[in-house]
């Protein structure tokens, strides 16, 4: 008897969906070079191939530089990563402001971080007519004041 094994459904990576959404946005459609850079670094990061995310490899893989090019003399990767960071900030501040995930590229690195955004808790408004009274002094502070008054009264009575 042969048992039939049902195939498991493919795993959906929400992070890759975010990358696809960002790459397909209006702001990235105007810049195919940045879109290609975004897809390149995010794909390798999500596939745990971060060793391929070095300046030399990105220069060859995205910008068509020869394998012997010198990143010290040709800073195309650093310039474009800086532009990509700015474009991502603009996207998530405007078009992607409601997206549950955000793509960040830390300074000094080429490995993107795709993280869940944490929305701040709303602060309740305090009605204008409610006045906030200063806190009442604590009982121990009151006893100190009363003790000082008593001592002063005794000193005054003795001196009189």
């Amino acid at each position: 008897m042969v048992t039939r094994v049902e195939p498991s459904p493919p795993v959906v990576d929400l992070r890759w969906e975010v990358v696809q959404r960002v790459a397909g946005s209006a702001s990235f459609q105007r810049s195919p070079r940045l879109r290609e850079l975004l897809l390149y670094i995010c794909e390798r990061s999500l596939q745990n191939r971060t060793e391929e995310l070095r300046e030399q490899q990105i220069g060859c893989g995205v910008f068509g530089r020869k394998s012997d090019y010198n990143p010290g003399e040709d800073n195309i990767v650093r310039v474009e990563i800086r532009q990509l960071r700015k474009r991502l900030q603009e996207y998530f501040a405007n078009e992607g402001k409601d997206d549950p995930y955000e793509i960040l590229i830390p300074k000094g690195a080429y490995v993107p971080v795709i993280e869940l955004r944490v929305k701040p808790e709303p602060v309740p408004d305090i009605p204008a007519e409610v006045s906030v009274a200063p806190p009442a002094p604590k009982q121990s502070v009151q006893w100190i004041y009363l003790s000082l008054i008593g001592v002063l009264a005794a000193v005054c009575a003795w001196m009189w």
Side-chain angles (χ1 to χ4, degrees):
M1 181 167 145
V2 176
T3 58
R4 186 169 177 212
V5 177
E6 292 293 321
S8 61
V11 176
V12 176
D13 192 338
L14 296 176
R15 298 170 303 170
W16 182 245
E17 289 180 6
V18 172
V19 172
Q20 292 290 331
R21 200 166 33 252
V22 172
S25 69
S27 58
F28 278 86
Q29 289 301 315
R30 294 184 308 232
S31 182
R33 196 178 223 186
L34 287 180
R35 186 177 77 242
E36 186 178 345
L37 176 58
L38 174 70
L39 292 170
Y40 182 91
I41 64 173
C42 288
E43 178 183 28
R44 277 149 185 80
S45 176
L46 292 173
Q47 293 175 348
N48 292 321
R49 294 169 36 200
T50 56
E51 70 279 352
E52 295 176 33
L53 295 178
R54 305 280 185 267
E55 189 172 358
Q56 177 82 27
Q57 287 85 354
I58 295 170
C60 297
V62 177
F63 301 109
R65 298 302 193 255
K66 295 181 180 178
S67 59
D68 63 345
Y69 105 98
N70 183 353
E73 294 173 4
D74 184 354
N75 63 354
I76 184 85
V77 175
R78 284 173 276 158
V79 169
E80 292 297 319
I81 284 287
R82 188 177 316 118
Q83 291 301 318
L84 180 58
R85 282 188 194 105
K86 288 179 186 178
R87 189 70 57 94
L88 287 170
Q89 285 177 338
E90 291 171 8
Y91 171 83
F92 287 107
N94 299 305
E95 196 175 342
K97 67 181 180 288
D98 295 325
D99 205 311
Y101 286 90
E102 185 172 14
I103 303 171
L104 304 167
I105 305 170
K107 288 190 176 186
Y110 301 118
V111 179
V113 176
I114 303 170
E115 61 185 22
L116 192 60
R117 291 170 123 179
V118 178
K119 294 191 177 188
E121 292 291 322
V123 177
D125 291 333
I126 298 175
E129 64 267 358
V130 175
S131 63
V132 178
K138 294 182 180 178
Q139 201 109 36
S140 61
V141 174
Q142 288 177 343
W143 279 108
I144 292 172
Y145 288 136
L146 288 174
S147 299
L148 284 173
I149 291 171
V151 169
L152 281 173
V155 169
C156 288
W158 177 75
M159 291 180 78
W160 187 57

